[in-house]
Amino acid sequence: MNNETEYEAPIAGLGLAGTLKVKNLKVCGDLKLVVSRVKGEFEARDETMEKYVHLVRAVMTQFDECHIDYIPREENVKVDALSKFVSSEVEESSGSVYFRVLKIRSIDIKFVAPIGLGGSWIDPIKAHMQTGWLPNDVMEARKLAVQALRYYLIEGILYKRSYVVPYLKCLRPDEARLALKEVHEGICGQHLGTGPLRTK
């Protein structure tokens, strides 16, 4: 395994834990250098490794409490099992283990607003929920991770959680303008006058 894989594994695991709404988490790693870098005990001198360390730390901020600790390889049986799985043929393990093949490194994922729709407050939240993307700034990353907890993503559509009414569909500015136009034109049925309420 190369060093990049040693960072991709915790990033994927942290993303899964976030999706499961885990609040407190303990991460165990058997590569002391990686654990020490993430904890801030060692400095990453290579630019690529520095980006990975920054990303791991940013993803960790989405939890109320998250610690990373070193565990010797011989004490980590699960890692041995996974390393054997990685080196085996995919067909041999099909159906027994869930896995995802990364097409691009996590540090190379850039947030881009959908073409033709323009930027919207919805885009960063969806990007985080779909791919685990977080801003480079640690405070902004934590803010986005916390904000995303108030939303659901259902079939690619973002909804705000609500405890008293059905989920609220989130609209982009152009979609909101169209919805308001349709309401005011009466597409949703007859509406009462919009003037001030009068009493006799």
Side-chain angles (χ1 to χ4, degrees):
M1 289 187 183
N2 57 37
N3 284 339
E4 292 182 5
T5 305
E6 298 292 346
Y7 289 97
E8 289 289 357
I11 290 169
L14 288 164
L16 178 60
T19 302
L20 296 173
K21 309 294 188 242
V22 172
K23 300 295 183 185
N24 303 299
L25 191 65
K26 179 180 179 182
V27 181
C28 296
D30 60 17
L31 194 59
K32 195 166 191 175
L33 180 62
V34 171
V35 173
S36 298
R37 282 176 176 168
V38 173
K39 292 176 83 169
E41 297 171 351
F42 292 157
E43 188 177 316
R45 296 180 182 176
D46 178 77
E47 184 181 353
T48 300
M49 296 302 109
E50 188 177 353
K51 287 181 180 178
Y52 269 114
V53 170
H54 181 79
L55 182 56
V56 172
R57 288 177 182 166
V59 177
M60 287 173 70
T61 64
Q62 69 182 302
F63 304 98
D64 292 344
E65 193 175 337
C66 186
H67 302 286
I68 184 168
D69 291 314
Y70 167 72
I71 181 171
R73 173 73 53 109
E74 57 272 14
E75 293 178 23
N76 200 350
V77 179
K78 292 180 180 178
V79 169
D80 279 341
L82 287 173
S83 64
K84 289 174 185 174
F85 166 72
V86 170
S87 61
S88 67
E89 292 295 328
V90 174
E91 289 78 10
E92 292 178 16
S93 305
S94 179
S96 61
V97 177
Y98 173 78
F99 65 94
R100 184 176 72 175
V101 178
L102 296 177
K103 306 268 185 202
I104 185 172
R105 299 183 305 178
S106 296
I107 58 171
D108 293 330
I109 295 175
K110 303 293 182 188
F111 167 67
V112 180
I115 296 173
L117 296 177
S120 168
W121 64 272
I122 291 175
D123 299 326
I125 298 173
K126 284 183 69 173
H128 171 67
M129 297 179 81
Q130 289 173 325
T131 68
W133 174 85
L134 284 169
N136 289 328
D137 182 85
V138 174
M139 293 304 293
E140 287 297 317
R142 181 168 181 78
K143 181 180 174 183
L144 177 60
V146 171
Q147 184 183 18
L149 296 175
R150 299 196 293 265
Y151 295 87
Y152 280 116
L153 194 61
I154 304 172
E155 296 183 357
I157 299 173
L158 193 68
Y159 294 87
K160 187 167 193 213
R161 293 171 182 259
S162 178
Y163 298 102
V164 292
V165 295
Y167 295 155
L168 306 172
K169 183 177 180 181
C170 301
L171 302 176
R172 296 175 178 280
D174 55 334
E175 294 173 324
R177 281 191 293 272
L178 179 61
L180 285 172
K181 184 176 180 227
E182 290 176 346
V183 168
H184 286 293
E185 288 177 353
I187 198 169
C188 296
Q190 294 295 322
H191 297 275
L192 298 175
T194 56
L197 180 63
R198 297 185 181 184
T199 57
K200 291 184 180 180

